[in-house]
Amino acid sequence: MNKKQKKMLARIVLSALLMIALQFVPVDGVSRFLLYLVPYILVGYDILIKAVKGIKNKQVFDENFLMAVATLGAMALAVSDNGDYTEAIAVMLFYQTGEWFQGYAVGKSRRNISELMDIRPDYANIEQDGQFMRVDPDEVAVGTVIFVQPGEKVPLDGVVVEGCSTLNTSALTGESVPRDISQGEEIISGCINMTGLLKIRTTKEFEESTVSKILDLVENASSRKSRSEAFISRFARVYTPIVCYSALALAVLPPLVRMYFWGLPPVWGEWVYRALTFLVISCPCALVISIPLSFFAGIGGASRAGVLIKGSNYLETLAKTQSIVFDKTGTLTEGVFEVNAIHHNVIDDKKLLEYAALAESASSHPISKSLRKAYGKVVDRGRVTNIQEVGGNGVIALVDGVQVAAGNAKLMKRLHISYIDCHQVGTIVHMAVNGVYAGHIVIADIVKPASKPAIAALRREGVRSVVMLTGDSYKVANQVAVSLGMDAVYAELLPADKVKKVEELLLKKASGSTLAFVGDGINDAPVLSRADIGIAMGAMGSDAAIEAADVVLMDDDPMKISTAVRIARKCMAIVHENIVFSIGIKVVCLVLGALGLANMWLAIFADVGVMILAVFNAMRALFVRKYTEQSGVDQQKNVSLRSA
């Protein structure tokens, strides 16, 4: 609890004790009124002040106005009848208790967001005159060498130029598994250095760093309202004035009808009491508070699990997901390609691999990296000229003045070069030297152990269609798709082809359902933007993912996708429960109040009781069951062990 919540709780407790104690004080008249006024003012003065401010600002119809009118009216009736002031005090007391619970619930959900906000670094260490000096991360220029000591947060993105260590990435990924880092590797801001001293050369300014983008994403999530929230806001703006005028009509019209048409006494006190009860019952607190809180708690619970959802509108859309389209490389597979075989023709395998590594030296594609890794030597870029990258085909370059073509079968056909087909499973890099076929290199990717359990988990969550898109060959794509139990696979696609295929699938999907695309965020930005909901995974350090996707998974565990869907569906189920429960109870109690069958105590339950129950229900969205994520991986491991 914060200081404000503690103060409010003290006011509630003290007011309740005074109200109970006054039951045993034998006083009447003005003295009785003044004594009971003390606990009323003590617990409700801020509500009265807010109601007055609302009237001054011409924003009359809100819950503060309803509570002020209802309780002041009840106090006035008690004065006129020398009756019981307890009801008026109790209404204000229980309303403030409900507000306190709501504040506590919001604070709890905000603490989950705050834990993520703790990744923001306070300073960066730079060396000056042989000593470390702390500076604001905003002041550190790109290319500056900074030092991160054990226990400190990494303040900026960069490359490790000296040292090795273990990083705690739990604030970003939601997982406690440490990650090793060493010289030459990229490092992102927001991680905590656990062991050794790291010397890092920064590659981005602070405002462009990973930690800044993530913080901005989370801070702005609440500004993107869902349809449910927008509906509740519009509903409250229309509903509150209607019930105020209805209460006024209930207080005035029946007595007038009794007096002028039936010739009976008007009984003003009874009908005013019914109208005040009607006002207390009608207060829309449960809806206005619990629905946004449900979304806020859902986003908070997701962020704690390493799933960043950009807004409640995306949470609502994600909950309707019936079809999921996966990119293959880096999403369902490790994205770590290794050279499995070299089949040479006119030159030996070492020379063939050297030509391939040099020709591909300018590319950042995982296959190019695997070729350079297999080559095992420092690539001399000065030996390579006239590099032409043919999208979806491969690369043509001059290596030591010799024309080298490295790519798939499409490239060979494009160059009118006869090639030898390879029946090994993997990605085949065909090589041609000076227009003559020189052989091919077989490169294989590895399916992630969690991919198959992740697909099964999605089906358990109700996802009906799981599709895979890839630029890889049909043979490789089919093998991966069959092993994972995909419903369909589309291979040998260029980036533009992936967008077209997603558009075709969008036209075929069921009305009212959502199609999600899952990619690694590096080259999938167009597709992530085109799908109903774009999910980028393994996005630590990927600017394209954070910018283009609607949901960002901070590590490369595909089980997090089912976690995200489960969180969204749980959150929306809670929202619908609260809407039905709140409106249903309100309608029943309003009818009872209008007929004189409900008193202030039932009104208190209809308002405060329903609000507290709805708030506690909303808080369930904070909690995410993690054992279901791990169980799938463990199950897959057990299957592998049995088959071995």
Side-chain angles (χ1 to χ4, degrees), residues 134-390:
R134 292 184 175 182
V135 297
D136 193 306
D138 283 315
E139 299 175 0
V140 178
V142 173
T144 304
V145 174
I146 61 173
F147 295 81
V148 182
Q149 301 179 89
E152 292 183 333
K153 297 168 191 168
V154 178
L156 296 144
D157 295 5
V159 176
V160 177
V161 294
E162 187 178 311
C164 59
S165 183
T166 301
L167 301 177
N168 180 351
T169 63
S170 60
L172 298 176
T173 66
E175 301 296 335
S176 57
V177 180
R179 173 190 163 199
D180 293 329
I181 192 83
S182 58
Q183 184 176 340
E185 293 184 327
E186 292 184 358
I187 188 169
I188 64 169
S189 50
C191 302
I192 298 175
N193 182 20
M194 296 173 65
T195 53
L197 176 68
L198 293 176
K199 188 175 179 181
I200 301 168
R201 187 177 303 280
T202 62
T203 55
K204 295 179 183 176
E205 295 179 348
F206 179 72
E207 62 181 15
E208 294 298 323
S209 66
T210 300
V211 68
S212 282
K213 289 181 179 294
I214 292 171
L215 292 174
D216 182 64
L217 184 156
V218 176
E219 286 168 351
N220 292 326
S222 60
S223 65
R224 299 179 176 94
K225 302 294 184 183
S226 68
R227 290 182 180 179
S228 300
E229 285 179 289
F231 163 74
I232 293 302
S233 298
R234 292 194 301 270
F235 175 82
R237 283 198 297 270
V238 175
Y239 167 83
T240 308
I242 288 175
V243 296
C244 286
Y245 291 124
S246 298
L248 181 62
L250 186 63
V252 174
L253 295 181
L256 293 177
V257 170
R258 285 173 57 88
M259 186 168 59
Y260 289 106
F261 291 94
W262 296 347
L264 298 174
V267 200
W268 290 104
E270 178 185 338
W271 288 100
V272 169
Y273 182 81
R274 289 192 190 186
L276 296 175
T277 303
F278 188 90
L279 278 180
V280 175
I281 294 170
S282 66
C283 189
C285 298
L287 282 174
V288 173
I289 291 169
S290 68
I291 305 309
L293 179 62
S294 300
F295 284 108
F296 193 79
I299 291 171
S303 68
R304 187 170 58 179
V307 179
L308 304 183
I309 300 174
K310 288 188 175 182
S312 52
N313 55 331
Y314 300 120
L315 193 71
E316 189 172 41
T317 304
L318 183 62
K320 301 174 185 175
T321 300
Q322 295 295 330
S323 303
I324 294 189
V325 180
F326 283 89
D327 177 51
K328 180 179 77 70
T329 306
T331 304
L332 296 170
T333 64
E334 297 285 359
V336 179
F337 292 83
E338 294 182 354
V339 173
N340 282 3
I342 302 173
H343 301 150
H344 59 275
N345 190 15
V346 294
I347 57 177
D348 62 47
D349 55 356
K350 289 185 179 179
K351 193 65 177 177
L352 189 69
L353 183 60
E354 181 181 5
Y355 275 146
L358 288 165
E360 295 271 7
S361 62
S363 174
S364 60
H365 193 279
I367 289 177
S368 304
K369 292 179 181 178
S370 67
L371 289 169
R372 295 195 294 273
K373 182 180 177 181
Y375 176 50
K377 299 178 183 178
V378 177
V379 175
D380 183 2
R381 293 282 297 275
R383 296 170 59 188
V384 188
T385 57
N386 294 353
I387 299 173
Q388 303 173 48
E389 190 158 348
V390 184

